[in-house]
Amino acid sequence: MPPHRRLLATALASALLAAGCASTTTGSVATDGRSRSQLLLVSSETVTQQSMQYYNEQNAEARQDGTLITSGPEYQRVYKVMQRLVPQVATFRPDAARWPWQLVLINEDTVNAHVMAGGKITFYTGLIRKLKLTDDEIAAVMGHEMAHALREHSREKMSQSAAGDLAVSIGGALLGLGSGATQMASMGKQLALDLPFSRSMESEADLYGLELAARAGYDPRAAVTLWQKMAQLGGGGGPAFMSTHPASADRIAALQASVPRVIPLYEAARMQR
């Protein structure tokens, strides 16, 4: 490779490494206090804007379809869990306690929940009804979704994807690769980097969520029963290496190993209630 090309490639690698030396939160008890560095090339404002656009569109569609639940016993049950967890986010990042956390409950059979940047959480009734979730299990889901927001995983994933695409594009140009070779390199990047990185985020959210639930006085062992129910329903099926989520067995094992670390937090919270 000519010297000027090597210099450009080195500069790109250095810039990406420098950008990766940030972390949105402190570590979790469930992760032994470790806090992973994150690649954050995309601004929080950009991610929040995009998230709010999707969030508003989702709510408008659900409202039009008559599936948006904003009151009643089922809504209040999930909302109460969220309200107990919100004060605990300050453990990981004080600013998050001031976020405008919001809950959306949608009356659909979908077994799912998700979160938008800044604390906009969506639950689907299918998740609660089909799995017959206890309040502790709802807290496990809620903690997991809140952890995604705290760790800004959407922002990190967008940054990781942008950096990878840029590296593949520049690398192809520097090496004089044709479009076919560059496309193959991009597919390789997705299998080797994007998918495992997504699985890493899911595992991380599991552990941070475990601590959030425990600190709020919800039994962290419910995270294990939650994923046992998911496994019975078929959640987490398929080859783990091709999935953005960990295999159910791996997930359950990791949670079981981490529960003892947060049990003291749960017991202390229960004593105070």
Side-chain angles (χ1 to χ4, degrees):
M1 182 185 296
H4 71 280
R5 289 184 176 177
R6 284 200 303 269
L7 182 62
L8 181 57
T10 301
L12 173 63
S14 298
L16 295 181
L17 285 173
C21 296
S23 183
T24 57
T25 68
T26 59
S28 166
V29 169
T31 62
D32 281 335
R34 296 186 301 271
S35 182
R36 176 180 58 83
S37 293
Q38 298 173 276
L39 183 66
L40 302 172
L41 300 177
V42 180
S43 71
S44 293
E45 292 75 18
T46 297
V47 180
T48 299
Q49 279 186 340
Q50 293 187 11
S51 294
M52 283 304 301
Q53 180 179 350
Y54 174 82
Y55 180 75
N56 291 332
E57 289 174 356
Q58 166 199 267
N59 296 350
E61 183 177 342
R63 190 176 291 107
Q64 184 176 359
D65 294 344
T67 56
L68 185 66
I69 300 175
T70 57
S71 62
E74 198 167 30
Y75 179 88
Q76 288 301 324
R77 183 184 176 208
V78 182
Y79 183 75
K80 179 181 176 181
V81 173
M82 186 186 77
Q83 286 298 96
R84 274 177 56 177
L85 264 68
V86 165
Q88 313 309 319
V89 301
T91 301
F92 303 117
R93 51 183 301 176
D95 67 307
R98 299 187 296 273
W99 290 358
W101 294 90
Q102 289 181 287
L103 170 68
V104 167
L105 182 62
I106 296 179
N107 188 16
E108 288 185 10
D109 286 340
T110 306
V111 180
N112 198 16
H114 62 79
V115 67
M116 295 284 101
K120 304 296 185 287
I121 301 168
T122 299
F123 261 66
Y124 293 89
T125 55
L127 174 66
I128 303 166
R129 297 170 187 172
K130 288 186 177 181
L131 297 185
K132 296 181 171 61
L133 296 187
T134 65
D135 285 358
D136 292 313
E137 289 166 341
I138 290 174
V141 177
M142 185 71 69
H144 173 93
E145 298 304 332
M146 293 172 79
H148 276 310
L150 292 172
R151 292 293 288 160
E152 296 191 55
H153 282 156
S154 295
R155 179 185 175 196
E156 188 178 7
K157 191 172 182 181
M158 288 171 64
S159 298
Q160 184 74 18
S161 180
D165 291 344
L166 179 62
V168 168
S169 177
I170 292 178
L174 290 175
L175 297 174
L177 299 178
S179 59
T182 301
Q183 185 177 15
M184 288 298 293
S186 181
M187 290 174 62
K189 189 266 300 183
Q190 182 183 32
L191 288 173
L193 189 61
D194 290 349
L195 294 181
F197 201 69
S198 296
R199 292 195 295 271
S200 142
M201 292 178 189
E202 290 297 325
S203 298
E204 189 173 66
D206 280 348
L207 298 185
Y208 275 78
L210 202 64
E211 181 171 344
L212 283 171
R215 286 184 177 277
Y218 290 104
D219 193 337
R221 289 166 290 204
V224 175
T225 60
L226 165 70
W227 283 102
Q228 287 171 339
K229 289 180 179 181
M230 287 290 287
Q232 291 173 359
L233 194 68
F241 74 92
M242 285 294 289
S243 172
T244 58
H245 288 60
S248 293
D250 296 340
R251 198 165 206 165
I252 291 168
L255 287 166
Q256 287 174 326
S258 299
V259 162
R261 300 191 190 112
V262 300
I263 283 291
L265 298 174
Y266 164 62
E267 292 174 345
R270 294 294 294 171
M271 290 288 290
Q272 294 174 2
R273 296 197 64 82

